[in-house]
Amino acid sequence: MSPSVRLQEMIRVIRGARTQGEERGVIQRECAAIRAQFRQADNGTRSHNLAKLLYVHMLGYPAHFGQMECVRLIASPRYNEKRVGYLGAMMLLDEKQDASLLITNSIKNDLSHSSQYVQSLALCTLGCMGSAEMCRDLAPEIDRLLRASNSYIKKKAALCAVHIVRKVPELGELFTPASRSLLSEKNHGVLHGAVVLITELCERNPETLEQFRKAVPELVQIMKGLVMSGYSPEHNVAGISDPFLQVRILRLLRILGRNNETASDAVNDLLAQVATNTDSSKTAGSAVLYETVLTVMDIKSESGLRVLAVNILGRFLLNNDRNIRYISMTSLQKIVQTDHNAVQRHRGTIVDCLKDQDASVKRRALELSLALVSAVNIRSLMKELLLFLSSCPPELRAHTTSGIFNAAERYAPSQRWHIDTILHVLTTAGGDVRDETVPNLIQLITTATELHCYTVHKLYRALIADISVQSLVQVACWCIGEYGDLLLRGECEETEPVQVAEDDVLDALETVLQSHMSSPATRGFALTATMKLSTRITHNVDRIRSIVSIYGSCIDVELQQRAVEYNALFKKYDHMRYPALSTTALGPVSSTAGGDLLDLLGGLDVTPGETRSYHVTRPGKTLGPNYRLFMTFVSHSHPPQSVQLQMKAPSGDVIPAHGLGQVTQTVLLNNPNKVSLKMRVRVCYTSQDFVCQDTVQIDSFPSPAW
Amino acid sequence: MMHFLLLFSRQGKLRLQKWFTPIPEREKKKIVRDMTTMVLGRKPRSCNFLHWKDLKIVYKKYASLYFCCGLDAEENELLALEVLHRYVELLDKYFGNVCELDIIFNFEKAYFILDEFLLGGEVQETSKQVVSRSIEASDMLQEVSERPCSR
């Protein structure tokens, strides 16, 4: 029986095993037989035994005892044995194994073998698993093959050189001269290898990059030849002539043209030609167009060409192929900051992609939509985002809500719109919002004085409809406590009038207090609100008193403490009740336990002269495992001319998650004329892969400051 | 460059694994597990691109086999799809209407074909005919060297 059939027979037997245990048994027997065969003298079956071992290895079983056999087979003069030996070396030996060094000599010999197929084996193996030491040893050989051999060997030598340069970058200098001359080869395989090698050399060495800029005209010629050539059966893929080579040349031109006017100019025409002539009905053409667009956007192209590129991406957005829509959006994401207006033109299509079935496409569309929000489109775009929120996949909800809040904060056309938007988000996805949403919303409502009546009515209605969303319930309770008098008055300019009796309101608050859905914090809000109402209502103060006294013996310590204190207000300090519970005045940014974005701590250095320094600390947030922050700048809003601002570097640029650390950035403000100042602070940060922004306004500094 | 190329069945059985960077055996197994879980968990009409650590993952299903490769972040995903497709075409030409069983029982041939198409994680030959001819010639040489009288 021919040995090769025995290999297939073994495979058949292994596959026939009905249980894992049976398979293990078969394999153990086979491995024992293989081991025995390895120990024997050469009997012509060595290569087949190694092949069997490689199959067993692929199933996940240990095969290290075959390593020496690989070394032996590689050294054999017979091609069939070398072939399997080298395959085994690539599968079982990597640079970390000692045995790999033993094959260096065989490889060296085989690189000069009379048969190109043996040379090929050596080149392939070296290029796949050659260690730094082996690469150093054999680099001169590879250089020789780059210069003087047939195209079959040259193309392999070029990629082998790429591997060598990746392992030992200093050897790049050795290959630079040969790689330059390879560009004049006609053979596509060699050309492709040459372009890959030159790309690698240029990426690692700026001087080499400078040198190869002179090759740009030659590369342009080659590319033109490919694009304008007629049908070439050997390299044609769906109407494109050698898309693999075209893409690699485009990428090399990108590297050479980056930050260089001359090189960029030289390729402008070519890029326009490729962009307009390439048929993108199949993937091959789209791949070339995609690479062209990336190149146009990365080098110093003319503005007309950039617009053309963005339009290609816009066309991709409408493509039926989901892959093409996806890469279009990743590309648009990269350029949305630099070419904002051009991308805005495709906003409609991007927003449509929010409705795509594919989760990856949805995610990309969300990122892009958030990046495209502006003062002009905020109303229409927010409608789409809110629609998206109501049906978006759960893993995107938190990001969507924070994106919506940021956008609303930056571009809200009116306070009423802002409040409505936040309320809409809370009703739709209140469980997925950040901790500081509640204090932020409270702050917002407080400052919107004309809307207190409207807001309390709206929140009351939301509360009686549903008390399950904690964030919404908390804000509603707070609002009812603060502005309960406006609620009970009945009339409101902005909404339909509705009669709300004191009992109704107290019923609602009591429901929250008693519900098992309410968290302890929510109960705290509800209790405080109930207490505050004692100064806003007239008939039911006794009811309030009894509610409060019940909670004086509540199990929850926090709640109990509150209730006891409120009880005391009723009994001993009744004269203080009204002043203590009156409407909160507007104040500066407050810090809360939830982790407000900025916290003005004390830290005033009172030094002689007029410079004061403030330590602005950013408590570590509790979201997500990989939270990185870059505090980029602090800007004055309308700085008076006499005021000077100096920002020091932040103490770090990464905040660990889960509140495990903080970053401090010192800002020195010199205010010699003691002008009253407001300050707006914007913090830009990346969390996981998303770029986020938060803005906070500081309306007043503590009075001893100046 | 391509960091790895994996072929696995719908049940997650590995049929071919090519690694272009040195990785410890244990980590290879983990990567294979991660890839099979991720790819087999995808819905039928999803796009063929994924992100995993700092690599782009491109995969395509051909009959009962998944072809899955891991690429550097700057690689062109659409071109990677073409690379996978080219490899399938080469296998198809060699075996004549290739199916999973061909690759199971002739795994070493699948590797030999791959080694004429990719080298060091890069495409080495862009012409289908040249690759096919090289394989034929190598097979011929192998046949000759297997004969007992040859040295």
Side-chain angles (χ1 to χ4, degrees):
Chain A
M1 206 190 337
S2 150
S4 177
V5 176
R6 242 186 268 145
L7 162 66
Q8 299 194 331
E9 191 53 42
M10 181 195 82
I11 296 177
R12 202 164 287 128
V13 171
I14 292 175
R15 281 169 62 77
R18 276 160 302 179
T19 66
Q20 183 79 332
E22 203 179 316
E23 181 184 281
R24 255 199 303 271
V26 171
I27 287 179
Q28 261 170 12
R29 277 196 306 277
E30 286 292 338
C31 284
I34 293 169
R35 260 199 184 94
Q37 293 279 8
F38 282 170
R39 265 178 259 136
Q40 284 181 12
D42 178 7
N43 55 8
T45 62
R46 278 168 33 190
S47 60
H48 299 291
N49 283 311
L50 184 59
K52 282 193 209 173
L53 185 59
L54 294 180
Y55 180 80
V56 162
H57 174 248
M58 188 154 59
L59 292 179
Y61 295 89
H64 41 267
F65 60 88
Q67 287 176 4
M68 283 314 294
E69 195 62 16
C70 295
V71 176
R72 257 177 253 131
L73 282 173
I74 286 173
S76 157
R78 302 166 75 141
Y79 178 73
N80 64 319
E81 293 185 339
K82 270 195 203 291
R83 212 181 186 194
V84 179
Y86 274 116
L87 178 64
M90 285 191 273
M91 286 173 77
L92 301 180
L93 295 174
D94 62 35
E95 59 182 40
K96 299 198 172 55
Q97 313 290 340
D98 297 327
S100 64
L101 281 176
L102 298 172
I103 63 174
T104 313
N105 214 34
S106 293
I107 293 183
K108 189 171 195 166
N109 292 334
D110 285 341
L111 284 174
S112 348
H113 201 276
S114 52
S115 162
Q116 66 178 11
Y117 299 107
V118 174
Q119 286 177 298
S120 160
L121 292 174
L123 283 165
C124 189
T125 308
L126 181 61
C128 177
M129 50 74 75
S131 66
E133 215 176 303
M134 288 162 72
C135 288
R136 258 188 273 264
D137 252 342
L138 299 167
E141 275 302 301
I142 303 300
D143 187 49
R144 190 182 58 81
L145 290 173
L146 271 181
R147 295 165 194 278
S149 55
N150 61 28
S151 44
Y152 180 72
I153 294 301
K154 265 191 193 155
K155 75 186 184 200
K156 293 176 191 262
L159 291 180
C160 209
V162 171
H163 174 85
I164 292 176
V165 170
R166 284 178 183 150
K167 280 275 178 242
V168 189
E170 309 87 68
L171 287 172
E173 281 177 27
L174 172 64
F175 297 120
T176 307
S179 52
R180 181 74 180 80
S181 43
L182 284 177
L183 277 183
S184 30
E185 298 266 342
K186 294 288 168 243
N187 180 290
H188 280 224
V190 178
L191 258 183
H192 186 275
V195 171
V196 175
L197 177 55
I198 294 171
T199 308
E200 194 70 33
L201 294 171
C202 291
E203 276 177 334
R204 289 177 185 274
N205 189 325
E207 282 164 16
T208 317
L209 176 64
E210 198 54 54
Q211 260 181 290
F212 274 105
R213 283 219 177 95
K214 301 192 198 97
V216 166
E218 206 174 334
L219 289 165
V220 167
Q221 275 308 108
I222 298 172
M223 189 70 193
K224 271 203 175 109
L226 290 171
V227 174
M228 305 307 289
S229 70
Y231 178 79
S232 148
E234 210 178 334
H235 296 111
N236 182 278
V237 181
I240 310 292
S241 184
D242 207 338
F244 304 102
L245 182 57
Q246 287 198 29
V247 165
R248 290 313 304 234
I249 295 180
L250 286 167
R251 198 186 314 176
L252 178 54
L253 289 174
R254 178 153 88 239
I255 292 168
L256 296 174
R258 209 178 268 156
N259 294 324
N260 187 291
E261 293 273 353
T262 334
S264 301
D265 279 340
V267 303
N268 249 305
D269 284 345
L270 170 70
L271 293 174
Q273 200 174 21
V274 178
T276 32
N277 285 343
T278 306
D279 171 19
S280 60
S281 51
K282 293 282 168 63
T283 311
S286 302
V288 173
L289 266 186
Y290 175 38
E291 198 73 30
T292 311
V293 166
L294 291 179
T295 303
V296 167
M297 301 316 289
D298 210 8
I299 65 174
K300 293 183 178 302
S301 322
E302 290 167 4
S303 60
L305 193 53
R306 288 182 89 89
V307 170
L308 177 60
V310 177
N311 287 346
I312 291 177
L313 292 179
R315 237 181 35 231
F316 276 178
L317 277 180
L318 299 166
N319 196 301
N320 283 330
D321 187 335
R322 192 162 274 129
N323 293 328
I324 295 187
R325 288 207 296 278
Y326 177 88
I327 57 111
S328 160
M329 282 197 277
T330 49
S331 314
L332 286 169
Q333 187 75 43
K334 285 193 204 131
I335 60 171
V336 71
Q337 302 296 339
T338 49
D339 294 77
H340 191 91
N341 291 334
V343 181
Q344 277 283 6
R345 267 182 235 130
H346 301 278
R347 194 178 71 242
T349 329
I350 292 170
V351 164
D352 279 341
C353 287
L354 284 171
K355 304 183 191 110
D356 198 294
Q357 298 292 332
D358 185 300
S360 322
V361 170
K362 270 197 174 69
R363 179 183 281 271
R364 296 278 158 217
L366 173 65
E367 283 304 321
L368 266 177
S369 303
L370 290 174
L372 288 175
V373 175
S374 72
V376 171
N377 61 37
I378 179 73
R379 282 188 195 268
S380 53
L381 196 43
M382 188 56 79
K383 278 206 198 85
E384 298 287 348
L385 288 170
L386 290 173
L387 196 60
F388 172 69
L389 183 61
S390 55
S391 61
C392 86
E395 63 269 15
L396 288 178
R397 288 168 79 108
H399 188 62
T400 313
T401 57
S402 70
I404 288 177
F405 285 156
N406 285 337
E409 210 169 300
R410 290 176 72 185
Y411 300 112
S414 72
Q415 281 183 316
R416 177 173 161 172
W417 180 95
H418 195 172
I419 290 174
D420 281 343
T421 305
I422 299 185
L423 289 183
H424 190 135
V425 172
L426 288 181
T427 358
T428 325
D432 295 293
V433 300
R434 290 191 309 221
D435 300 336
E436 62 259 23
T437 308
V438 170
N440 283 350
L441 181 54
I442 289 177
Q443 172 84 6
L444 178 63
I445 294 173
T446 315
T447 51
T449 34
E450 312 84 56
L451 292 167
H452 286 167
C453 186
Y454 167 76
T455 312
V456 72
H457 270 92
K458 214 164 161 173
L459 279 167
Y460 173 71
R461 260 191 285 253
L463 185 66
I464 54 179
D466 175 16
I467 59 166
S468 61
V469 180
Q470 299 305 296
S471 45
L472 186 58
V473 172
Q474 288 172 11
V475 179
C477 288
W478 175 86
C479 203
I480 291 171
E482 269 303 285
Y483 310 119
D485 47 329
L486 297 175
L487 180 63
L488 294 165
R489 211 185 292 157
E491 10 142 311
C492 182
E493 285 168 4
E494 311 251 1
T495 75
E496 297 156 25
V498 66
Q499 282 307 328
V500 182
E502 291 181 6
D503 272 318
D504 297 331
V505 178
L506 290 173
D507 281 345
L509 290 174
E510 254 194 303
T511 315
V512 174
L513 273 170
Q514 289 161 359
S515 166
H516 62 277
M517 288 191 280
S518 301
S519 71
T522 308
R523 287 212 181 89
F525 271 92
L527 189 63
T528 307
T530 310
M531 187 61 191
K532 280 187 191 165
L533 281 178
S534 70
T535 59
R536 279 114 168 118
I537 62 172
T538 42
H539 303 304
N540 276 304
V541 183
D542 283 333
R543 183 177 171 186
I544 292 180
R545 218 172 283 179
S546 69
I547 294 175
V548 168
S549 66
I550 287 172
Y551 280 89
S553 43
C554 172
I555 285 181
D556 184 309
V557 174
E558 172 81 32
L559 215 51
Q560 192 192 103
Q561 180 177 350
R562 251 179 233 253
V564 165
E565 284 167 3
Y566 293 156
N567 254 328
L569 264 182
F570 268 123
K571 298 200 173 111
K572 287 194 238 170
Y573 300 101
D574 203 37
H575 56 282
M576 283 177 61
R577 190 158 49 93
Y578 272 82
L581 299 171
S582 64
T583 319
T584 316
L586 282 175
V589 173
S590 59
S591 64
T592 64
D596 207 25
L597 189 62
L598 275 188
D599 206 344
L600 265 188
L601 295 190
L604 295 176
D605 291 340
V606 182
T607 56
E610 291 131 329
T611 312
R612 301 277 182 260
S613 74
Y614 291 85
H615 294 282
V616 177
T617 63
R618 169 71 179 86
K621 290 200 57 160
T622 53
L623 285 178
N626 304 309
Y627 197 87
R628 287 173 169 275
L629 173 135
F630 301 94
M631 196 180 287
T632 52
F633 63 92
V634 162
S635 69
H636 260 144
S637 55
H638 320 294
Q641 285 194 333
S642 57
V643 176
Q644 288 151 356
L645 179 143
Q646 185 194 349
M647 273 181 54
K648 302 265 171 94
S651 64
D653 60 6
V654 176
I655 295 184
H658 310 299
L660 289 174
Q662 60 187 27
V663 164
T664 307
Q665 185 169 22
T666 306
V667 176
L668 294 175
L669 285 171
N670 189 1
N671 185 5
N673 297 344
K674 303 195 198 311
V675 171
S676 118
L677 280 181
K678 295 186 188 204
M679 194 159 108
R680 187 176 298 147
V681 180
R682 182 178 302 154
V683 178
C684 302
Y685 55 92
T686 46
S687 168
Q688 299 180 319
D689 285 0
F690 303 119
V691 177
C692 313
Q693 257 183 327
D694 275 318
T695 313
V696 173
Q697 181 141 331
I698 303 166
D699 284 315
S700 66
F701 290 82
S703 49
W706 311 114
Chain B
M1 66 177 272
M2 192 184 289
H3 285 239
F4 56 80
L5 172 66
L6 305 173
L7 268 65
F8 48 85
S9 70
R10 270 193 304 241
Q11 291 80 33
K13 290 228 131 118
L14 195 60
R15 299 303 179 204
L16 185 144
Q17 52 174 336
K18 186 77 184 176
W19 302 88
F20 294 108
T21 55
I23 296 178
E25 197 66 44
R26 190 186 302 153
E27 206 175 309
K28 279 184 195 168
K29 293 207 165 119
K30 177 167 192 312
I31 294 176
V32 171
R33 267 200 312 272
D34 285 351
M35 289 301 118
T36 46
T37 320
M38 262 176 24
V39 170
L40 293 175
R42 295 280 277 178
K43 285 192 258 198
R45 272 190 301 271
S46 313
C47 80
N48 297 83
F49 310 136
L50 290 166
H51 260 98
W52 182 81
K53 301 205 174 158
D54 57 343
L55 295 179
K56 284 182 181 167
I57 308 296
V58 176
Y59 73 93
K60 189 121 196 256
K61 184 164 187 270
Y62 288 90
S64 61
L65 268 183
Y66 285 88
F67 287 65
C68 171
C69 61
L71 313 163
D72 278 330
E74 66 259 9
E75 291 292 326
N76 183 323
E77 299 99 309
L78 294 176
L79 195 71
L81 279 177
E82 287 297 313
V83 170
L84 292 180
H85 191 74
R86 175 58 64 89
Y87 182 46
V88 172
E89 285 179 320
L90 290 167
L91 290 170
D92 199 49
K93 178 127 193 284
Y94 184 81
F95 290 108
N97 262 333
V98 67
C99 64
E100 191 181 342
L101 281 179
D102 289 322
I103 299 180
I104 294 171
F105 283 96
N106 301 281
F107 70 95
E108 78 279 20
K109 303 264 174 29
Y111 277 101
F112 295 149
I113 295 170
L114 185 62
D115 287 339
E116 284 295 330
F117 176 45
L118 301 178
L119 203 162
E122 306 279 357
V123 170
Q124 71 174 272
E125 177 55 65
T126 59
S127 155
K128 248 190 293 193
Q129 288 96 310
V130 172
V131 176
S132 302
R133 283 200 292 266
S134 313
I135 298 285
E136 274 168 44
S138 309
D139 279 353
M140 195 92 76
L141 192 56
Q142 169 158 342
E143 228 173 283
V144 168
S145 68
E146 266 168 356
R147 291 191 206 131
C149 53
S150 71
R151 267 289 157 245

